[in-house]
Amino acid sequence: MATKAHLARADRLQLATGALATAAMAAMDAKLPWFGKLSAQDRSWIGLVAQSGISAFVDWFRDPEAHSSMPTRIFGSAPREFTRVISLHQTVDLVRTTIETIENTIGTLLPPADVPIVHEAIQRYAREVAFAAATVYAQAAEMRGAWDARLEALLVDSVIRGETDESVRSRASALGWTGGIGTTGSAEVAVVVGRAPAAETPPPANGGSNVVDMVRHAAREAGADALCAVQGDRLVVVLGGAGKPVEIVQKLARWFGPGPIVVGPVVKDLMAAVTSARAAVAGLRAVAAWPDAPRPVQADELLPERSLSGDGHARRQLANEVYAPLTAGDGALLDTVSAYLDSGGSIEATGRALFVHANTVRYRLKRVADLTGYNPLNPRDSFTLRVALTLGRLLNPEANNPAL
């Protein structure tokens, strides 16, 4: 129980709170250059916090046991936006300035006998206030982190669903995204889809994920931006500034679960990322048909599997970018590659079927490779060409049968 002398000392300290608060605000204005640049409202909130802290100290000084939690509650008078106005470092400066002002001022406001006792108490109290400030900022950071995780998951979902609009740009920028928003014209975006690690399925309730943080950090070290989300059993990564996405994804592969990783085609910006996302998702669905696919594998390398699995975009891409160029001119290239594939990959048999020299067949097959990017002499490429020719004939029957 506090003695009468201690209670009298607390009463004298109570009478000095107004002068102490005024002196603290004056010291902040004089010693902290950034304080004077704040708005009047923000300075008012800081003044309330300082006054609240001094009043709380008096109550704690009067009876420490009854007010043991007082230091942790002195920031209760500040709005949530308080932590956005000033940083933790600036808050520490405020606390330090306030404490120094009290220590320098109590000698003129209290009797000499009270000063050492109050000085010792303020040192103990200041330590608790510092911990309280750290707690406030830690909680604010945690709340922002959870909100950022949910916002990031929504952005990735918008890209996957093809619902990107101008709001996606601003929201991505709010998350620190600097690549692939079309501001420089040189940034590129690619969407990557793979299996999520087993530990991340289902994702945490707050939308966050350790693997998401790791992927984002690894992408940043590789020189790219990343928006990440765990969607059920798959991990989706939107890479910004991904001029060479496969090389970047090779550095991120360890954070994906077992199984294939599919990299969508590079597009010009975040608004066009749905094209890359569509191809990557379709590729992940079809990659099981190519057991020896590399990890990671580009979605465009899976065009035949995607076509056979029902991906209309892949079908049209093969028909327009592979089959259509072969039909140009007299159709000799189309006839040659078709005969080559039908002959089981024999150049001599192809030459006999077309009544041309074997070297002519080799020349035409090289032109096919240069024109389409697929070499008929390569087993994998020949499979792609076979599917492309089949789809081209199905999608353009009039070009193959003039009688129709």
Side-chain angles (χ1 to χ4, degrees):
M1 181 178 295
T3 63
K4 292 183 178 180
H6 183 77
L7 294 177
R9 189 178 299 113
D11 289 339
R12 290 191 291 271
L13 185 60
Q14 180 75 51
L15 295 175
T17 55
L20 291 174
T22 301
M25 291 296 293
M28 293 177 196
D29 199 27
K31 297 180 179 181
L32 304 177
W34 53 265
F35 183 76
K37 299 178 182 179
L38 298 176
S39 66
Q41 181 179 4
D42 293 335
R43 289 199 302 272
S44 175
W45 280 117
I46 292 175
L48 287 177
V49 172
Q51 186 172 358
S52 173
I54 294 173
S55 298
F57 167 66
V58 174
D59 294 337
W60 175 85
F61 179 78
R62 187 183 302 276
D63 191 348
E65 294 183 1
H67 299 89
S68 59
S69 63
M70 188 64 73
T72 63
R73 301 203 305 265
I74 67 170
F75 292 96
S77 60
R80 182 175 300 176
E81 290 76 10
F82 181 83
T83 57
R84 301 180 183 179
V85 174
I86 61 175
S87 65
L88 176 59
H89 178 73
Q90 291 172 328
T91 301
V92 172
D93 286 342
L94 289 177
V95 173
R96 182 186 297 112
T97 301
T98 301
I99 298 304
E100 290 176 352
T101 301
I102 293 176
E103 290 176 338
N104 295 332
T105 307
I106 56 176
T108 61
L109 300 176
L110 299 176
D114 294 348
V115 173
I117 298 175
V118 174
H119 186 273
E120 181 182 354
I122 194 65
Q123 292 297 323
R124 291 170 52 198
Y125 187 77
R127 183 175 62 251
E128 298 300 326
V129 170
F131 282 120
T135 300
V136 168
Y137 279 83
Q139 291 174 345
E142 184 177 358
M143 292 179 63
R144 285 197 298 270
W147 169 252
D148 287 351
R150 288 191 290 268
L151 178 58
E152 186 172 10
L154 288 173
L155 282 174
V156 173
D157 185 65
S158 297
V159 170
I160 293 293
R161 292 163 60 90
E163 298 177 350
T164 54
D165 54 26
E166 289 299 325
S167 64
V168 170
R169 296 176 185 266
S170 59
R171 291 173 180 173
S173 297
L175 292 173
W177 172 275
T178 59
I181 58 176
T183 57
T184 64
S186 60
E188 297 173 319
V189 174
V191 177
V192 184
V193 182
R195 299 302 176 191
E200 298 298 329
T201 306
N206 66 354
S209 170
N210 288 334
V211 71
V212 166
D213 295 335
M214 295 298 183
V215 170
R216 192 185 303 109
H217 177 72
R220 191 177 300 113
E221 288 188 337
D225 280 338
L227 296 173
C228 317
V230 176
Q231 296 182 336
D233 64 345
R234 71 185 182 188
L235 174 62
V236 181
V237 181
V238 181
L239 289 177
K244 298 181 179 179
V246 174
E247 295 182 8
I248 296 174
V249 175
Q250 287 173 345
K251 301 177 182 179
L252 311 181
R254 57 178 296 196
W255 304 113
F256 285 81
I261 303 173
V262 182
V263 182
V266 174
V267 294
K268 62 179 182 178
D269 58 25
L270 192 59
M271 299 294 289
V274 59
T275 302
S276 182
R278 186 190 300 118
V281 172
L284 187 64
R285 184 171 58 247
V287 69
W290 186 13
D292 296 329
R295 185 177 191 264
V297 60
Q298 293 184 350
D300 283 353
E301 296 182 82
L302 294 164
L303 286 174
E305 288 80 9
R306 288 166 52 194
S307 300
L308 294 173
S309 69
D311 183 359
H313 295 280
R315 292 177 178 178
R316 287 188 290 273
Q317 187 172 342
L318 284 175
N320 295 333
E321 298 180 8
V322 179
Y323 175 78
L326 297 177
T327 63
D330 57 5
L333 295 182
L334 179 62
D335 292 340
T336 301
V337 72
S338 179
Y340 176 78
L341 295 174
D342 291 341
S343 68
S346 171
I347 292 179
E348 289 74 14
T350 303
R352 288 193 298 270
L354 298 176
F355 302 102
V356 297
H357 194 275
N359 287 340
T360 301
V361 175
R362 292 188 181 92
Y363 171 74
R364 290 179 180 178
L365 293 180
K366 184 178 183 303
R367 287 187 58 196
V368 169
D370 294 339
L371 188 62
T372 65
Y374 294 98
N375 185 357
L377 303 182
N378 179 284
R380 173 68 190 176
D381 288 357
S382 66
F383 169 63
T384 303
L385 288 167
R386 169 68 77 182
V387 175
L389 265 58
T390 302
L391 291 171
R393 290 161 180 159
L394 289 173
L395 298 177
N396 300 280
E398 294 82 359
N400 301 286
N401 190 349
L404 290 179

